[in-house]
Amino acid sequence: MSLAKRIIPCLDVRDGRVVKGVQFVNIKDAGDPVEVAKRYDDEGADEITFLDITASHEGRDTLIHMVEAIADQVFIPLTVGGGIRKSEDVRTMLNAGADKVAVNSAAIFNPNLINQLSEEFGSQCIVIAIDAKKVADNKWEIFTHGGRKSTGIDAVEWALKMTKGDHGAGEVLLTSMDCDGVKTGFDLALTKAVTGAVSVPVIASGGVGNLAHLSEGILQGGADAVLAASIFHFGEYTVQQAKQAMQENGIEVRL
Amino acid sequence: MQSIAIVDYGMGNVRSVQKALEHVAPNDKIFLTDDVGLITDADRIVFPGQGAMGACMRALNTHGLVEAMKQAAGEKPFLGICLGLQLLFDHSQENSGTDGLSIFSGNVVHFPETELKIPHMGWNTVKQTQTHPLWHNIKDNARFYSVHSYYVKQNDSSVVAGLSNYGIDFTCAAAKDNIFAVQFHPEKSQHDGLKLLENFVNWKP
């Protein structure tokens, strides 16, 4: 008996509602975030991640109230990402009840940001979110703007750089932009390349369409946690079913 | 109505500790504070901690809290969480070496470099190594949520109250008289974590 692999349902949130799109377009409504979070908590989710895809300031305030409302009722780790650019954003989210914040594009524009945030808040609450897209065999680059804009940065090197040293990020949230929403499984080669390179835990994300995909992310990709959205949102599977399937594949889970 | 002071020296997210305590003790007065007087007057003390140990000790010193913490740990129900466990020991390797409060004898060391990911993050089983009121109605080997890169190595094995394994067995709960301290986060460990907090709130050492 030792550390369990984690299942993390992810809520993409826009203007206070859970939404889900395919490759960041064709957005569908998936419910009230507080209700959805409570349901996942009841089903045995190990953590919950919220990714805010709201652009407006009004939406930002809605998100803060939403995190507060969820943290009042759900006593498992909560991660919030989307629009985290500076120390003040991190503090606001932690004060609202988040336990970790995921930093994505802001780290690309300011490569020192992760170091600053980890030093201030502790690396345990700073997650580096990486959106990677395949550009050649066994080569992935970091993309921004919902996968439309390449930065030319190598994803594996970036993951290493952002997690190195005493003030690196404490965790990597790795999303394959090619697989996100497509439901054909994780990009296992990408997952394996990153989990093999970094010394911190890696959450595999993007592409889960059935329960077997979750186990693949752990067993073949080497991930420490798996993140999925649509298979849970629309009632296809419960988190409990997902955990049972993983356990049947010999993976240690919290049941 | 009793009062429970959560020591908040500005080093991280202690709101979730407050929310969880409010959930299990809705009629108690639960507050975040760095005020020596309020800490001295409170019926119970919760001592969380996040970030790095060096910064935490500096903050305790800056806020003049070191003596108040030692005094509280000597006389009333006291719950340490995460860094709040580590800070009770003599010394930590973190930040090129940091002295703690020396309430427990022993040191805080980094997990050995192996193929295991660091920090140790997630839900691990906790083996209860002694019967204790804070384990009441919590099953042996229940899972709790942790996130840390350092662990405590006590000199006096009688203080060990719980063990986890991550490459090695390590102490994840320590207890002595009116003090109970855990490496994991009860406030983030769902039902069993809330149960532990409830046990603390009702504990009469």
Side-chain angles (χ1 to χ4, degrees):
Chain A
M1 298 280 270
S2 186
L3 188 67
K5 299 296 180 184
R6 290 169 281 153
I7 293 194
I8 308 175
C10 177
L11 281 59
D12 287 339
V13 177
R14 191 174 68 177
D15 300 322
R17 297 289 293 178
V18 181
V19 294
K20 188 62 202 166
V22 178
Q23 286 174 315
F24 292 80
V25 290
N26 298 328
I27 306 248
K28 277 201 274 185
D29 190 280
D32 171 58
V34 181
E35 292 307 313
V36 175
K38 275 170 70 180
R39 189 175 87 225
Y40 292 152
D41 179 43
D42 288 343
E43 289 176 4
D46 296 312
E47 296 183 31
I48 299 176
T49 291
F50 306 90
L51 294 179
D52 179 37
I53 58 172
T54 314
S56 67
H57 283 293
E58 299 77 25
R60 203 80 198 149
D61 288 340
T62 310
L63 180 79
I64 294 162
H65 294 308
M66 182 201 88
V67 173
E68 279 173 350
I70 292 168
D72 276 338
Q73 302 177 49
V74 172
F75 300 101
I76 57 174
L78 305 175
T79 302
V80 179
I84 304 288
R85 291 188 182 84
K86 50 190 190 298
S87 167
E88 193 190 324
D89 300 334
V90 176
R91 190 169 295 283
T92 304
M93 285 307 158
L94 294 181
N95 285 340
D99 299 285
K100 305 186 231 181
V101 294
V103 181
N104 194 331
S105 28
I108 298 166
F109 302 121
N110 174 7
N112 249 337
L113 181 64
I114 292 287
N115 266 284
Q116 291 164 7
L117 297 178
S118 290
E119 196 171 358
E120 185 171 354
F121 300 100
S123 58
Q124 83 288 337
C125 66
I126 305 299
V127 180
I128 178 76
I130 297 177
D131 292 342
K133 211 164 165 174
K134 192 169 176 173
V135 291
D137 268 358
N138 285 310
K139 188 161 171 55
W140 301 267
E141 285 182 0
I142 308 292
F143 277 66
T144 58
H145 299 85
R148 294 188 303 276
K149 223 168 155 177
S150 175
T151 59
I153 301 168
D154 181 81
V156 179
E157 282 171 23
W158 180 247
L160 197 56
K161 187 177 171 191
M162 288 295 107
T163 55
K164 254 193 159 168
D166 284 347
H167 299 302
E171 195 172 33
V172 174
L173 169 53
L174 177 66
T175 304
S176 159
M177 305 299 287
D178 304 299
C179 299
D180 195 56
V182 184
K183 305 193 118 189
T184 51
F186 296 116
D187 183 336
L188 294 172
L190 167 67
T191 310
K192 203 161 190 259
V194 173
T195 55
V198 303
S199 60
V200 301
V202 175
I203 305 165
S205 154
V208 174
N210 62 46
L211 298 185
H213 292 154
L214 296 170
S215 294
E216 288 171 8
I218 305 279
L219 299 173
Q220 295 173 43
D224 303 279
V226 285
L227 181 141
S230 52
I231 62 162
F232 300 129
H233 292 337
F234 301 112
E236 274 171 81
Y237 303 103
T238 64
V239 176
Q240 193 69 17
Q241 285 171 323
K243 287 190 161 182
Q244 273 156 3
M246 283 167 70
Q247 194 180 44
E248 281 162 20
N249 287 322
I251 297 168
E252 193 164 341
V253 292
R254 177 180 73 106
L255 278 173
Chain B
M1 189 182 78
Q2 58 178 349
S3 62
I4 304 172
I6 302 167
V7 183
D8 177 11
Y9 40 99
M11 286 309 298
N13 174 22
V14 292
R15 266 297 283 151
S16 54
V17 176
Q18 185 178 25
K19 282 176 186 245
L21 281 165
E22 284 167 354
H23 190 81
V24 299
N27 298 319
D28 289 342
K29 187 180 167 202
I30 295 156
F31 53 93
L32 303 173
T33 184
D34 62 358
D35 183 273
V36 172
L38 289 175
I39 289 169
T40 307
D41 291 343
D43 297 316
R44 289 170 196 272
I45 301 295
V46 177
F47 184 36
Q50 273 189 336
M53 182 138 162
C56 275
M57 275 309 290
R58 274 198 303 279
L60 284 179
N61 277 309
T62 309
H63 290 78
L65 288 173
V66 171
E67 283 316 308
M69 297 308 295
K70 285 185 179 171
Q71 194 192 336
E75 63 191 21
K76 54 188 148 198
F78 185 103
L79 177 65
I81 297 173
C82 191
L83 216 55
L85 164 71
Q86 298 183 2
L87 283 161
L88 300 180
F89 284 78
D90 293 317
H91 185 82
S92 171
Q93 287 178 346
E94 196 172 7
N95 304 117
S96 318
T98 304
D99 285 334
L101 296 171
S102 292
I103 290 165
F104 286 151
S105 169
N107 295 311
V108 185
V109 298
H110 199 269
F111 276 113
E113 303 284 344
T114 63
E115 76 287 356
L116 291 170
K117 298 298 178 72
I118 295 172
H120 168 236
M121 183 188 286
W123 299 77
N124 207 335
T125 52
V126 172
K127 176 149 192 57
Q128 298 168 15
T129 55
Q130 57 170 274
T131 309
H132 194 283
L134 266 72
W135 293 136
H136 179 65
N137 276 340
I138 297 171
K139 284 197 181 116
D140 196 17
N141 293 314
R143 286 186 188 273
F144 289 86
Y145 183 85
S146 291
V147 49
H148 60 118
S149 305
Y150 294 80
Y151 67 97
V152 298
K153 276 178 104 165
Q154 67 291 326
N155 291 330
D156 172 7
S157 62
S158 74
V159 303
V160 180
L163 289 174
S164 287
N165 182 282
Y166 193 59
I168 46 161
D169 279 337
F170 68 92
T171 300
C172 65
K176 190 184 177 186
D177 305 327
N178 55 298
I179 303 172
F180 196 87
V182 290
Q183 180 62 63
F184 51 80
H185 289 271
E187 77 280 10
K188 287 288 150 187
S189 297
Q190 219 196 9
H191 306 305
D192 288 322
L194 294 175
K195 186 70 215 169
L196 190 144
L197 293 177
E198 189 188 328
N199 289 340
F200 173 70
V201 166
N202 296 323
W203 184 29
K204 295 185 175 65

